[in-house]
Amino acid sequence: MPTALITGITGQDGSYLTDFLLRQGYVVHGLVRRNSSISRSRLEPLFQDKQIYEQRLFLHYADLDDATTIRRILLKTMPDEMYHLAGQSHVGLSFEIPESTCQFTAMGTLKLLEIIRDLEKKPRFLHISSSEIFGRPEQWPQAEETPMQPVTPYGIAKAFATQMVRLYRDSFGCYACNAICYNHESPRRGESFVTRKISRAAAAISLGQQDKVALGSLDAKRDWGYAPEYVDAMWRMLQQPEPDDFVLATGETHQVQDFLEAAFQSVDLDWRDHVEQDSRYIRPSDVGHLIGDSNKALTKLNWRAETRLPELASIMVRSDLELMRGTNPAEIAPEEKNR
Ligand code: GDP
């Protein structure tokens, strides 16, 4: 059986990737932070499955800055593929904690590359990079070769990690790739991200549990896709004969306001009656017009993002409605709090 190691296995992408790899017949090992709560996590249904947990799915405690432990786990599990998803992924929060964002997102990736460089049996390595590396770009849409101009601590850390992955590929012969992912959302998205904040609010308001939701900039634009489709592309990337970087995006951009419109419409509400603007959610600096060109992924991986914004918003609201009514045991509410 092929074996994969995933950092950040308890996150949105980590949990979808785990589902995907298990379906493909993989043995999956996940790294979990020492202080990460794995009960009530997005992996809960898999822990309950006796055919899966500790049969084909194994968790190992290791912090990203603990190189010795990670090396030991790599030597023990000898994965064929390694998916590096971990890191402080909230852009807004990265302004408040820039040092630890860089420590985990930038230096954490370099440490993994250093460990892999020394291994005799090197796993194929995938780094989940981000559209944030393009920052305020001068060309639209952005593709793999678009110059990086990050404008947030998170984007700067990701740019460093992305460039390091290229260096280890070109100079040290590692099979190392960057998936340059545009925003991708789902019912498993952390509650502090704007799409999930909106889907939860639309669900709670329609159930009469709350009346208002406070948001920041409504005209901010993003290229929003559906997360389960993106983990499929991540896997396809590591099946290629040569390592390479790929932009993963829908190629469509929308304002926060468009997501609000679609989410509230799906429960027959008018968002204008329920949204308050709150300056606490306005960022010191935000990215410009980000829209991804995934033509290379279409040509080489035969992958394209299928789910578009109105459907995405309605999937998320429906799931939150079921969660709030207690009728959706498969999706456990993540523990993160609104920011
Ligand atoms: P990001 O692209 O990783 O930063 O994803 P987010 O979902 O955190 O933010 C997307 C955009 O929504 C950003 O431009 C935010 O400024 C904007 N936004 C507006 N209101 C909010 C809010 O209440 N919370 C968050 N997280 N973002 C908001």
Side-chain angles (χ1 to χ4, degrees):
M1 279 188 197
T3 301
L5 179 69
I6 303 176
T7 75
I9 194 168
T10 55
Q12 167 187 262
D13 291 1
S15 67
Y16 282 123
L17 183 61
T18 302
D19 292 341
F20 180 90
L21 293 175
L22 288 171
R23 281 199 304 275
Q24 302 278 329
Y26 278 66
V27 170
V28 177
H29 294 272
L31 294 192
V32 183
R33 262 178 302 147
R34 272 240 57 106
N35 62 356
S36 171
S37 149
I38 57 168
S39 65
R40 284 187 57 73
S41 77
R42 299 167 177 92
L43 296 171
E44 188 71 27
L46 297 175
F47 295 149
Q48 306 299 339
D49 188 336
K50 293 198 166 46
Q51 311 287 326
I52 297 286
Y53 189 49
E54 296 198 325
Q55 301 296 322
R56 287 175 54 214
L57 169 64
F58 303 88
L59 296 186
H60 309 264
Y61 281 109
D63 290 342
L64 265 193
D65 55 357
D66 184 350
T68 308
T69 305
I70 294 178
R71 185 178 296 108
R72 192 177 298 131
I73 293 167
L74 271 160
L75 287 171
K76 195 171 137 205
T77 59
M78 294 215 292
D80 304 294
E81 297 168 11
M82 181 164 178
Y83 296 85
H84 175 38
L85 277 51
Q88 191 300 97
S89 66
H90 197 280
V91 178
L93 188 60
S94 80
F95 286 94
E96 286 166 44
I97 51 165
E99 285 185 38
S100 59
T101 299
C102 288
Q103 186 186 337
F104 292 112
T105 302
M107 287 306 292
T109 307
L110 175 56
K111 283 184 182 187
L112 293 181
L113 289 165
E114 272 293 273
I115 296 170
I116 286 171
R117 175 184 166 191
D118 290 338
L119 290 179
E120 220 162 278
K121 179 183 177 280
K122 295 180 180 37
R124 293 185 166 200
F125 181 82
L126 185 75
H127 167 238
I128 309 308
S129 180
S130 162
S131 54
E132 284 278 323
I133 63 172
F134 298 127
R136 295 211 189 97
E138 282 159 22
Q139 74 189 56
W140 306 270
Q142 299 84 42
E144 293 76 9
E145 303 309 325
T146 302
M148 300 186 201
Q149 292 187 309
V151 293
T152 61
Y154 174 75
I156 292 167
K158 277 289 180 196
F160 172 98
T162 305
Q163 206 57 23
M164 278 294 175
V165 167
R166 290 177 179 165
L167 179 77
Y168 276 66
R169 177 169 72 218
D170 297 341
S171 304
F172 299 126
C174 295
Y175 188 113
C177 315
N178 290 299
I180 306 171
C181 294
Y182 282 62
N183 294 45
H184 44 290
E185 319 294 309
S186 75
R188 299 185 191 178
R189 189 59 145 149
E191 293 169 16
S192 60
F193 289 84
V194 77
T195 52
R196 186 74 199 288
K197 202 170 156 183
I198 292 171
S199 68
R200 292 186 80 239
I205 292 168
S206 83
L207 293 175
Q209 295 176 359
Q210 85 185 52
D211 185 41
K212 300 279 182 202
V213 57
L215 296 171
S217 161
L218 300 189
D219 52 14
K221 287 182 178 163
R222 289 292 186 279
D223 176 332
W224 278 298
Y226 184 39
E229 295 171 2
Y230 287 56
V231 302
D232 175 345
M234 292 171 196
W235 174 78
R236 287 177 195 226
M237 283 180 64
L238 289 194
Q239 314 312 309
Q240 298 304 299
E242 298 298 329
D244 206 348
D245 296 343
F246 288 90
V247 162
L248 305 178
T250 67
E252 276 182 18
T253 183
H254 293 277
Q255 292 186 328
V256 170
Q257 202 167 305
D258 301 326
F259 195 90
L260 269 172
E261 184 91 44
F264 277 70
Q265 218 167 52
S266 74
V267 279
D268 297 324
L269 291 170
D270 186 344
W271 66 270
R272 289 169 197 81
D273 299 333
H274 302 283
V275 171
E276 288 170 344
Q277 274 213 303
D278 187 330
S279 58
R280 280 181 304 154
Y281 298 113
I282 307 241
R283 298 191 179 160
S285 146
D286 202 359
V287 291
H289 182 197
L290 292 182
I291 176 164
D293 171 358
S294 282
N295 268 315
K296 184 169 156 188
L298 178 60
T299 314
K300 294 201 167 173
L301 308 177
N302 194 25
W303 178 90
R304 85 165 93 218
E306 302 286 349
T307 306
R308 292 293 186 258
L309 184 122
E311 194 190 342
L312 173 64
S314 131
I315 292 171
M316 291 176 68
V317 174
R318 211 165 45 234
S319 167
D320 276 321
L321 273 172
E322 288 172 5
L323 259 179
M324 286 171 196
R325 291 190 184 120
T327 52
N328 185 0
E331 297 292 354
I332 308 291
E335 62 284 354
E336 292 151 63
K337 293 280 167 283
N338 271 351
R339 271 192 289 270

